[in-house]
Amino acid sequence: MNVTITVNGEKTSHEVEDRTLLVHHLRDAVGLTATNIGCDTSTCGSCTVLLNGESVKSCTVLAAQVDGDEIQTLEGLTGEDGEMDAVQNAFQQKHALQCGFCTPGMVMAATSLLRENPDPTEDEIRMALKGNLCRCTGYHNIVQAILTAAEDAR
Amino acid sequence: MSILGTRVVRTEDPRLLTTGATYLEDLRLPELQGAAYATFVRSPMAHARITEIDVSAALAEPGVVAVLTARDLDDIPDRPAGAGAEPLLAGDVVRFAGEPVALVLTEEAYQGEDVAELVSVDYEELPVVVGVDQGLRDETLLFPGTDSNVVSTGGAEAFDDAAFADCEVVVERTIVNQRVAAAPLEVRATAAIWADDRMTLWVSTQNVHGVRDAVVDRLGLGKGAVRVIAPDVGGGFGAKIGADRETITVGWAARRTGRPVRWVETRNENMVGMSHGRAQVHTVTIGGSRDGRVSAYRLDIVQDCGAYIRLGTMLPNLTMLMASGVYDLPRVETAYRTVLTNTTPIAAYRGAGRPEATAAIERAMDLFAAEIGMDAAEVRRRNLVPPDKFPFTTKTGATYDTGEYAKALDTVLDAAGYEELRAEQRRRRERGDPRQLGIGVSTYVEITGGGPEAGETARLSVHTDGTVTVWTGSSPHGQGHATAWAMLVQDELGIPMDRITVRHGDTDVLTEGVGTFGSRSLQLGGTAVHNAAVEVKERARELAAEEMEADPADLVLDTENGTWTVRGVPGQGVAWAQLAERAGPDGLSADTKFATKQATFPFGAHVAVVEVDIETGVPRLVRHVTVDDAGPVVNPILAEGQRHGGIAQGAAQALYEEMAYDEYGNPVTATLMDYTFVTAAELPSFELVAMETPTSVNPLGVKGIGEAGTIGSTPAVQSAVVDALAHLGIRHIDMPATPERVWTAINEARTAQ
């Protein structure tokens, strides 16, 4: 079937197999590879993107399901000249990434959290990240980065 | 002022944060255009004879390029089929659930799973060996024709009970260091092409050179016939060392079919196919006097090897070497047996043999302390190797370079507020609080350098535009080498970091190298880079002397602005770009290799504070305080990051993680829905205290920090859970301390009272 999705503000249109997962569609057809696949069971959150502004795990959404919708990925947070937004910047400043594999999903989850709750406590951040796994950082600096991004926005 | 020791944010990050890194699955190279997608058919059985493989239905599917089985592996050298030898694809027998049996190549990725399901494999069930106890009974042999599942033994041939004869108190206990999954977020992946009689492999790996050598060896190719490239790698934790059978098989398939081939496993495959870690059973015996002095310690190790030998015969040697930990013990006995079982093979996982040693001795110390009724921290203090005894050679043959063990312990106790924690614990016990407090103390020393005699390589070139390229044989996958290595070069040459590019991971560019594992990178790879900078600097001094017609001894490098001047002569001086120009076609560069016979021994002390809900058995880590001393820190941001990640992984082993099998050898934690991977919600923020005791083993004075957090945190957290319940008479709970286990222990203790 034909699927039209607005990805990071740009309209895309592709013929897809019915069973195509959104994450594969974004990576292979749209050509945006920041979004990663880590688990296949909707557990790890590496594939987190924003669907009409809400965070979803794109490994458990079919491309066909989001026909006509808006998707934002990590690439969509980045400015024209490669400039980082507040969350991306805080992740660098606080060393909230090591291998970087969970990072795109983690940044999108953090972005979603801060839109819903601009002033989260540490506990609220930790609960909000329960669906995003990181093996490298022990989450310490990720929590610090999100606190910092929230503070910077105030 | 030197840049070393300052908090420089990572130069790697903007790329990772804006477009994302380029992991293997992200590669969109022209060479890989038209690649076939590889899908492995894996055994659903833990132990079975393959009676027939019918590929006809699979071959009839649209999009199938090839279906390959062991029978097709007729163009590679024969290997001795001894006990524990791992094939590329299973031949007559499968020995663990998840073992690759066939390889399907398809035009489209999604077709792979469809086709794999149509490969019909007939299995004849064989009796299954799960767990080391069953393996040791030798009732079922994994390799018929051998006389035992035990594939390796070492240490004392027989234990001598006389070692404990004069002890007032002797405690013995069997404890389990459970099997865990490395579970890097990026699973295993390989892409391969065969062109012009040469194989190029892209592999998600910690050591491209090791992969190259393994592929060359296994496929019988010339050393020059294989090139291995590592793109960005999404974590490894020891389980991406070397070439797994799937990687070699994918390379072979590319040659066999003449098609580029790419393979990315699923998480489910990763959980059963990638090597697991730990999986040791320890029997510890500890004896000493009631004044807290330990005089004898015995560690009897049974290592679960899994179905094939990867590192199962090597890891317990490290455990034995580090058995006595930070303690000055008069008598130490160790021995190990490695036994085959019908489970995923065991190899390195963050710490690889050393966390097991620390877990055993720290548990033993707690058991001893409980038996004599002494504070666990105090018992440790009374047995630590004192600072004036370094270098200190242990009874198991390790020579510790430098250490301040008592200082580390006192520092962490002070930072944690140990006495106040004990007072709070007493208050909760007195009032019968349903949330009891446990305080776990661990002290540790570990061995780092990961084969220091193999060393590490570097190449440094200063270009005519004044920029620098550094090639390192080290193989970063999250550690931040690009930042740290550039800091080392800036410090030595005065060329600013933003003009320095660090590259790694291509065996054609740097043909020799070792990689990143065993907490070896900074002390070996960093030193190689440092030495290359020193060499280049000395060459530059000569060139600058020529340029300025001065004596080389009078040349001074201003490392603040990167210019050479003649001492006492005012003027502009000479810049690096000019010297690179003057160096001519060979350029201003140096190739170095740094190797040393001596490993380094980082150490530290951890305090974990755990709350246990005694009505539900749920433990919760509420504080974790650490001193981790790995010598001078090049970049505190990076070192702290390593410690954070290590603490979390170690705590996760203590509380949550276990790769479990049922009695039929079915893995029951083979997805991240079943395997309790720790999340942010279960962990506190960590409290780190800095301490730096240099080593003389390398010119930077540094030791490794990559695994320390894991090694210290596991026993501290486990101990804290037990400590919370000590007043009920509980002395030990095996890891992971799940609510069920904790609740059962509480219930049994109450019933017994």
Side-chain angles (χ1 to χ4, degrees):
Chain A
M1 65 176 289
N2 190 276
V3 170
T4 301
I5 311 172
T6 304
V7 182
N8 300 330
E10 281 183 40
K11 200 171 233 189
T12 68
S13 195
H14 294 88
E15 198 63 37
V16 303
E17 209 181 328
D18 294 356
R19 60 177 173 173
T20 305
L21 297 174
L22 175 59
V23 66
H24 287 133
H25 182 69
L26 291 170
R27 293 174 48 83
D28 299 333
V30 183
L32 297 174
T33 56
T35 308
N36 293 316
I37 303 162
C39 74
D40 320 311
T41 50
S42 217
T43 318
C44 81
S46 297
C47 65
T48 304
V49 299
L50 303 187
L51 165 59
N52 301 328
E54 301 264 339
S55 69
V56 295
K57 292 178 175 174
S58 60
C59 76
T60 31
V61 176
L62 294 169
Q65 279 176 287
V66 299
D67 186 29
D69 290 328
E70 285 190 24
I71 296 290
Q72 192 176 21
T73 69
L74 180 82
E75 290 96 334
L77 298 180
T78 308
E80 293 268 303
D81 49 0
E83 199 187 325
M84 295 193 281
D85 79 359
V87 176
Q88 290 166 310
N89 192 47
F91 267 59
Q92 182 185 21
Q93 293 305 318
K94 293 294 169 184
H95 187 34
L97 62 155
Q98 290 182 31
C99 84
F101 197 86
C102 75
T103 306
M106 201 63 86
V107 168
M108 298 317 287
T111 300
S112 170
L113 164 67
L114 291 175
R115 284 181 191 170
E116 285 167 30
N117 179 0
D119 189 17
T121 64
E122 175 173 339
D123 280 350
E124 286 168 345
I125 293 170
R126 287 183 176 277
M127 284 311 294
L129 295 184
K130 205 165 164 44
N132 290 77
L133 303 180
C134 172
R135 198 59 158 169
C136 297
T137 65
Y139 307 100
H140 181 109
N141 284 340
I142 294 174
V143 173
Q144 293 304 312
I146 297 172
L147 286 168
T148 301
E151 202 172 299
D152 290 350
R154 279 198 293 276
Chain B
M1 193 193 108
S2 171
I3 193 171
L4 302 187
T6 64
R7 303 180 72 85
V8 178
V9 298
R10 292 208 314 182
T11 55
E12 293 92 327
D13 290 353
R15 183 172 63 88
L16 272 54
L17 281 162
T18 55
T19 60
T22 305
Y23 303 105
L24 203 132
E25 201 174 4
D26 302 331
L27 291 174
R28 300 288 184 269
L29 302 168
E31 302 96 298
L32 293 172
Q33 282 284 314
Y37 291 84
T39 306
F40 284 92
V41 177
R42 292 176 184 274
S43 171
M45 319 280 288
H47 197 193
R49 187 174 310 284
I50 298 173
T51 54
E52 199 192 337
I53 302 178
D54 181 356
V55 301
S56 55
L59 283 172
E61 279 293 291
V64 174
V65 175
V67 181
L68 302 164
T69 67
R71 224 174 286 173
D72 299 303
L73 289 161
D74 51 9
D75 53 353
I76 65 169
D78 281 336
R79 296 265 283 201
E86 188 167 15
L88 294 181
L89 294 169
D92 299 335
V93 177
V94 288
R95 294 186 177 83
F96 69 94
E99 176 160 14
V101 172
L103 176 65
V104 166
L105 301 182
T106 54
E107 298 288 351
E108 303 290 338
Y110 276 23
Q111 291 166 343
E113 283 186 54
D114 298 342
V115 175
E117 278 185 14
L118 295 173
V119 175
S120 170
V121 185
D122 288 345
Y123 294 101
E124 186 184 293
E125 248 178 283
L126 293 169
V128 173
V129 177
V130 178
V132 294
D133 288 344
Q134 209 182 345
L136 287 173
R137 284 203 288 273
D138 282 336
E139 288 161 0
T140 297
L141 296 176
L142 265 73
F143 289 82
T146 58
D147 56 3
S148 174
N149 290 319
V150 175
V151 282
S152 179
T153 62
E157 283 183 15
F159 288 127
D160 181 8
D161 284 338
F164 295 90
D166 65 348
C167 295
E168 288 174 15
V169 177
V170 178
V171 189
E172 183 174 301
R173 178 129 210 166
T174 296
I175 58 185
V176 175
N177 204 295
Q178 83 275 23
R179 172 187 287 262
V180 293
L185 257 290
E186 186 204 19
V187 293
R188 294 177 300 166
T190 298
I193 59 169
W194 178 262
D196 305 323
D197 291 331
R198 229 176 155 231
M199 184 180 292
T200 302
L201 286 167
W202 290 262
V203 185
S204 180
T205 179
Q206 298 175 225
N207 60 336
V208 285
H209 303 89
V211 172
R212 176 195 60 193
D213 296 347
V215 171
V216 160
D217 176 57
R218 196 59 185 266
L219 298 184
L221 301 168
K223 188 161 180 170
V226 178
R227 175 189 190 184
V228 179
I229 298 169
D232 289 320
V233 173
F237 310 106
K240 286 183 184 169
I241 301 172
D244 284 359
R245 58 199 286 179
E246 288 92 341
T247 287
I248 301 173
T249 306
V250 166
W252 166 78
R255 189 179 62 155
R256 179 87 179 191
T257 62
R259 280 279 292 265
V261 178
R262 57 195 308 164
W263 168 67
V264 181
E265 67 183 347
T266 63
R267 175 58 62 184
N268 179 219
E269 288 181 281
N270 176 264
M271 296 301 280
V272 296
M274 176 180 253
S275 306
H276 294 160
R278 311 283 190 262
Q280 292 185 359
V281 176
H282 300 144
T283 302
V284 296
T285 313
I286 186 167
S289 52
R290 293 203 170 272
D291 64 0
R293 185 71 195 139
V294 176
S295 51
Y297 174 63
R298 175 187 295 164
L299 174 61
D300 188 7
I301 304 160
V302 183
Q303 170 78 59
D304 188 340
C305 192
Y308 299 102
I309 299 170
R310 288 184 190 170
L311 290 178
T313 54
M314 185 280 268
L315 296 172
N317 287 294
L318 279 171
T319 312
M320 292 200 303
L321 182 69
M322 297 309 295
S324 56
V326 287
Y327 309 111
D328 185 0
L329 307 180
R331 294 186 294 279
V332 180
E333 295 182 325
T334 58
Y336 85 88
R337 288 164 286 170
T338 294
V339 57
L340 295 166
T341 63
N342 291 119
T343 54
T344 297
I346 294 296
Y349 170 60
R350 206 166 192 167
R354 297 104 77 200
E356 296 89 326
T358 305
I361 184 79
E362 290 304 285
R363 218 60 294 279
M365 278 288 169
D366 282 347
L367 292 166
F368 181 73
E371 189 66 26
I372 64 171
M374 187 177 282
D375 178 82
E378 185 54 30
V379 168
R380 283 170 170 77
R381 191 178 287 112
R382 291 183 187 196
N383 290 283
L384 295 172
V385 179
D388 60 4
K389 275 203 169 183
F390 287 87
F392 178 80
T393 300
T394 68
K395 292 290 180 285
T396 55
T399 299
Y400 299 163
D401 48 357
T402 52
E404 288 277 359
Y405 302 157
K407 187 176 161 195
L409 176 60
D410 290 339
T411 303
V412 82
L413 293 176
D414 190 45
Y418 188 66
E419 292 308 322
E420 175 46 36
L421 287 169
R422 287 284 173 210
E424 171 64 13
Q425 181 182 54
R426 279 194 296 276
R427 286 193 289 274
R428 292 202 195 186
R429 283 181 183 170
E430 279 159 17
R431 66 171 184 256
D433 197 307
R435 280 184 312 154
Q436 287 294 315
L437 199 69
I439 304 133
V441 178
S442 79
T443 49
Y444 72 88
V445 57
E446 62 137 337
I447 178 169
T448 64
E453 65 290 336
E456 194 54 276
T457 58
R459 175 182 303 155
L460 189 156
S461 294
V462 182
H463 308 296
T464 51
D465 62 357
T467 63
V468 173
T469 303
V470 176
W471 279 92
T472 175
S474 217
S475 202
H477 41 286
Q479 293 85 354
H481 292 34
T483 303
W485 282 198
M487 289 170 74
L488 292 171
V489 174
Q490 175 178 329
D491 183 60
E492 200 56 38
L493 302 186
I495 298 171
M497 280 180 69
D498 60 11
R499 314 205 73 194
I500 302 167
T501 306
V502 179
R503 298 196 178 281
H504 75 278
D506 185 337
T507 58
D508 268 11
V509 177
L510 211 54
T511 54
E512 251 199 279
V514 179
T516 290
F517 50 85
S519 302
R520 73 196 311 280
S521 287
L522 181 60
Q523 58 189 303
L524 298 169
T527 298
V529 168
H530 167 81
N531 287 352
V534 170
E535 258 186 51
V536 159
K537 190 167 144 184
E538 287 318 302
R539 175 81 184 112
R541 179 188 304 283
E542 290 166 18
L543 293 167
E546 286 172 22
E547 177 92 19
M548 299 176 85
E549 296 175 351
D551 185 335
D554 291 333
L555 266 291
V556 183
L557 172 64
D558 183 344
T559 52
E560 291 299 313
N561 60 17
T563 51
W564 289 90
T565 51
V566 180
R567 195 187 315 273
V569 179
Q572 274 192 322
V574 191
W576 280 102
Q578 282 169 274
L579 298 178
E581 195 82 54
R582 180 170 263 278
D586 290 343
L588 184 48
S589 57
D591 273 281
T592 55
K593 176 175 178 175
F594 177 72
T596 165
K597 285 200 175 70
Q598 286 179 293
T600 58
F601 295 84
F603 61 92
H606 287 205
V607 172
V609 184
V610 166
E611 278 183 352
V612 177
D613 183 327
I614 57 167
E615 287 163 2
T616 61
V618 174
R620 184 175 170 78
L621 180 63
V622 293
R623 284 181 68 198
H624 198 90
V625 191
T626 83
V627 169
D628 301 292
D629 187 332
V633 173
V634 169
N635 184 338
I637 288 180
L638 301 181
E640 289 163 11
Q642 289 297 310
R643 292 165 70 185
H644 291 150
I647 293 165
Q649 273 175 308
Q653 185 186 1
L655 296 177
Y656 305 113
E657 295 187 16
E658 177 168 30
M659 271 309 302
Y661 289 85
D662 69 13
E663 62 189 294
Y664 307 105
N666 295 310
V668 295
T669 51
T671 72
L672 292 184
M673 299 205 331
D674 308 300
Y675 189 80
T676 13
F677 193 116
V678 71
T679 82
E682 287 92 43
L683 293 169
S685 285
F686 308 126
E687 301 164 52
L688 308 187
V689 184
M691 194 169 135
E692 299 184 7
T693 307
T695 181
S696 58
V697 170
N698 58 68
L700 299 174
V702 297
K703 307 179 182 181
I705 193 64
E707 295 153 298
T710 315
I711 290 166
S713 68
T714 304
V717 174
Q718 183 186 19
S719 174
V721 175
V722 176
D723 183 66
L725 308 168
H727 61 298
L728 303 174
I730 291 168
R731 298 251 174 114
H732 179 77
I733 296 173
D734 266 328
M735 301 187 293
T738 59
E740 183 196 356
R741 278 196 181 146
V742 173
W743 185 87
T744 302
I746 294 168
N747 215 31
E748 284 173 357
R750 283 181 165 161
T751 309
Q753 272 176 354

